[in-house]
Amino acid sequence: MDLVELQEKVKTGIISMGLSENEAQWDEHGQWVLLKDEIPVYIDAWEETESTPWNYANFEKDRSIFQITIPFCFGPTLKRDAFFEELLSVNLNLLFGKFSFNSKENISVISYRIPGEAFQSTSLQSMIDLLAYYSEMAYHVLKDEFNLKRVSAIN
């Protein structure tokens, strides 16, 4: 899918959620940030510039990528390996989402990434709701065991 077309579809999805594109636009073209219950929701639409072993299957067909990312907690200081193992186990049960860890920022996130051609603007709200649900559930189930600290827009 053409990158401009994908970005227009994202804008349409944002508007269908009752937000103006300007209310959600972030500082770079193709990136938006929304708030869902004080939790930041990052939306990105971009085009891959080079093939890697991770995108080779789709690279020649569609270089555009759509992604939603919700940071849900900072990495724990104790029992980190057990925490990461738990997230990997949870990933097996999730629909459409996956937990990941950004070591540079020490933040665990849940994300949804698809080729641009697979994005449907009518599913944006439901994808955000699903990821937010998983994020909330994982945080509340794991917070005591791993002494987790929540990521929010006010951190």
Side-chain angles (χ1 to χ4, degrees), residues 22-49:
N22 289 334
E23 288 176 306
Q25 183 70 41
W26 200 19
D27 60 358
E28 293 182 40
H29 191 64
Q31 298 179 318
W32 299 263
V33 65
L34 315 173
L35 288 178
K36 178 151 179 77
D37 304 322
E38 296 185 14
I39 304 300
V41 176
Y42 298 95
I43 300 171
D44 298 288
W46 77 93
E47 190 172 82
E48 290 285 0
T49 57

Side-chain angles (χ1 to χ4, degrees), residues 50-63:
E50 63 182 67
S51 180
T52 71
W54 306 112
N55 71 5
Y56 80 95
N58 207 53
F59 185 74
E60 293 304 321
K61 183 178 176 189
D62 182 10
R63 294 180 182 197

Side-chain angles (χ1 to χ4, degrees), residues 135-152:
S135 173
E136 280 296 308
M137 186 171 68
Y139 177 75
H140 289 292
V141 168
L142 302 174
K143 70 179 179 178
D144 293 333
E145 180 179 354
F146 296 104
N147 195 27
L148 300 178
K149 183 177 181 216
R150 188 76 185 179
V151 173
S152 71

Side-chain angles (χ1 to χ4, degrees), residues 106-121:
N106 191 38
I107 293 178
S108 294
V109 302
I110 187 162
S111 63
Y112 169 76
R113 180 187 290 195
I114 56 174
E117 68 182 9
F119 175 71
Q120 298 296 317
S121 59

Side-chain angles (χ1 to χ4, degrees), residues 8-23:
E8 288 301 316
K9 286 176 77 173
V10 173
K11 290 177 189 178
T12 299
I14 288 170
I15 291 167
S16 73
M17 293 170 51
L19 299 171
S20 75
E21 192 266 336
N22 289 334
E23 288 176 306

